[in-house]
Amino acid sequence: MELNRAAPPAAHGSRFHPGPPAGPASLDLAVIGNCSYSALVDRRGRIVWCCLPRFDGDPVFDALLDDGPDGSQWTIELEDFDHSEQAYDVNTAIVRTRLHDRHGQSLEIVDFAPRFRQYERMFRPQTLVRRLRPLRGTPRIRVRLEPRFDWGRLAPTITRGSHHARYVGPTTTLRLTTNAPLDHVLQQQPFVLQGPMDFLLGPDETLPGAVTPTADQFERDTAGWWRAWTRALAVPLEWQEAVIRAAITLKLSLYEDTGAIVAAMTTSIPEAPGSGRTWDYRYCWLRDAFFTVRALNSLAEVATMEDHLRWLINVVASERDGHIQPLYGVGLEERLDERLAEHLPGYRGDGPVRIGNQAYEHFQHDVYGNIVLGAAQAFHDTRLLRPAGLAEFERLETVGRQALKVCEQPDAGMWELRTRARVHTTSALMSWAAFDRLAKIARRLALPDRERHWRENADRLRASILERSWCEQRRVFAESYGGRDLDAGVLLMAEVGFLPVDDPRFVSTVAALEQHLCDGPYMKRYEAPDDFGRPTTAFNICSFWRLETLWRLGRQDEAREIFEALLATRNHVGLLSEDTDPRTGELWGNFPQTYSMVGLINGAVRLSARWESVI
């Protein structure tokens, strides 16, 4: 039987008032996922973003970028809605949303993506589980399940069975299996929620068991897996809840099938309103992935590094003429051609909406250092199931050789400038880090000739950076050789061990960065105008780099004050996007941003009191 996906029929003349509209799109969102796909749930329990079959796939729910009548979403509307509450189950990726009406009645929505071990492998299907139960009274609801395909252009053909419905598109078919009244769901007919109901939306496959027992098992085993995972984390004494939420979010950013780590789960959330800075971040940047691995390593979570090392080795093996792109698709796709989805209005109507990212064409020479840094611990850590050895070192040496060729040549830099090339200080810095770590790995592997080779190149490049990036006029390390403009990225000199933190040149640079790039606790990336003018929002990871630098300089009280201010910027479930408006504290940019969650973990690890102080 086929049903049209036209506007739903009137509810047989019955009254249904869903309450006040949800308002404009917001980053007050919770993320659910299972290292295969993810979805974003707003404070009223609407699923407003979900790409399938993986992070960089087609958004079957896209209301985040189209909050008009054509936007696709999955909503549980409560008659006479009054207010809602939302929180994660402790130490899991399971989110609960409670909706309350004006008459004291309420219901709970439980959302999650199944993830647990089964048959000696990880079970992580592209299945979204929604569980409803009345909490008080007999609330009246309407289920609006409205997926679309081809970036919102195509409504599905709907067919139904006895207890399931199929949403059929040209290349994808989703199956809903439920114990809710199927007619009410398909006709969007309001009904009274008199008992628990379960919905499983996923691949077009027959559910092997009954709906509720399956949902029970999925929830129980998923909660158990996440709690076992978080139990093994070496968290700092302070800010444990914030750190655990950040760590879970970073883990959710892993595409486990290949080991890729996405920078964020969205595309085209503007860095600032009206800026035109809308980018597709649903891919794996080598730079962002390195920082993610490093942060999780600091919590003793090394499995992600092992997964990502598989991906890195495949990237290196696929290189052509030594060149490595700054980003790839999660399946190692090289071409990520950028195009506009002109039919989508964008976040709050603020486009354009972009699919793909032109940065894959860039030369960003810091990428070689990020690869080596991302893999380095695997040569020294004896806990690993698959420790790196000579074969992996030889692969990394090809990366180092390419870095030798290009480390002092102009590139687009870590901030991906589209119309300007310079010899960026941070690109040379990360190449130095590559040489330095290759020397240390060679020592570990008892290869003295290779150690000497890479140490000599590291020393040579270090001397060049110190001379050519220093701007005597401003007493700073500038953003590029021979330049004078400021760039927060030079704070990484201390992070990667390039300079002692108390080196007078570094101290002077920090003072200038604080004077010109900071607005209270927030910090911008750079001061010079770029392709779109001067940035107006703060870049969250830079704010965290600053507080780590202050900690290293012994300014702990200032660092803690900034850290607490940045924690207050998180949304209601503890997540951060890429950017923050320093005037309003509002989050902007793609979401949730791995860079920002990395900064939160690093800041807490640096600043927390030691466990020894209380035990």
Side-chain angles (χ1 to χ4, degrees), residues 512-556:
L513 291 170
E514 289 196 286
Q515 179 181 351
H516 296 285
L517 296 187
C518 291
D519 187 344
Y522 305 110
M523 189 175 209
K524 297 176 183 177
R525 285 172 286 183
Y526 42 80
E527 66 179 349
D530 60 20
D531 311 329
F532 293 82
R534 246 177 240 281
T536 59
T537 52
F539 201 72
N540 290 326
I541 188 60
C542 296
S543 303
F544 286 110
W545 287 344
R546 175 197 180 194
L547 71 87
E548 286 188 73
T549 301
L550 297 184
W551 171 81
R552 290 186 174 96
L553 288 168
R555 296 161 59 182
Q556 282 90 351

Side-chain angles (χ1 to χ4, degrees), residues 95-129:
V95 67
R96 294 179 186 267
T97 308
R98 293 184 173 181
L99 306 181
H100 302 263
D101 68 18
R102 295 199 300 269
H103 314 293
Q105 302 183 114
S106 59
L107 65 94
E108 181 179 74
I109 308 168
V110 179
D111 289 308
F112 66 94
R115 177 178 173 81
F116 49 87
R117 291 199 67 81
Q118 182 174 266
Y119 307 129
E120 299 184 357
R121 61 186 178 187
M122 191 61 67
F123 179 70
R124 40 177 164 75
Q126 287 89 26
T127 298
L128 202 162
V129 181

Side-chain angles (χ1 to χ4, degrees), residues 103-265:
H103 314 293
Q105 302 183 114
S106 59
L107 65 94
E108 181 179 74
I109 308 168
V110 179
D111 289 308
F112 66 94
R115 177 178 173 81
F116 49 87
R117 291 199 67 81
Q118 182 174 266
Y119 307 129
E120 299 184 357
R121 61 186 178 187
M122 191 61 67
F123 179 70
R124 40 177 164 75
Q126 287 89 26
T127 298
L128 202 162
V129 181
R130 306 207 84 179
R131 313 197 72 188
L132 307 185
R133 67 184 180 105
L135 296 177
R136 185 173 182 183
T138 52
R140 191 162 179 251
I141 66 171
R142 176 164 60 197
V143 178
R144 293 177 55 196
L145 174 54
E146 302 170 343
R148 291 180 76 88
F149 302 114
D150 192 22
W151 287 83
R153 294 184 183 91
L154 297 177
T157 298
I158 303 175
T159 67
R160 64 174 291 175
S162 55
H163 297 290
H164 75 268
R166 299 169 69 246
Y167 297 82
V168 182
T171 60
T172 302
T173 296
L174 298 176
R175 179 184 291 238
L176 173 72
T177 305
T178 182
N179 53 10
L182 203 56
D183 274 307
H184 292 349
V185 174
L186 295 178
Q187 298 296 329
Q188 299 189 4
Q189 166 71 40
F191 63 95
V192 174
L193 183 66
Q194 296 177 298
M197 292 180 180
D198 295 304
F199 301 80
L200 285 80
L201 181 69
D204 187 21
E205 301 169 354
T206 301
L207 196 68
V211 174
T212 293
T214 298
D216 283 341
Q217 181 216 336
F218 281 5
E219 182 178 351
R220 181 178 60 253
D221 290 352
T222 298
W225 188 90
W226 282 110
R227 286 176 176 141
W229 184 83
T230 56
R231 183 172 176 264
L233 297 176
V235 297
L237 173 63
E238 297 181 84
W239 306 295
Q240 291 182 44
E241 183 179 349
V243 169
I244 289 171
R245 181 55 46 203
I248 289 173
T249 306
L250 293 185
K251 187 67 173 182
L252 291 175
S253 302
L254 170 70
Y255 185 66
E256 198 166 43
D257 189 56
T258 64
I261 299 171
V262 295
M265 297 174 186

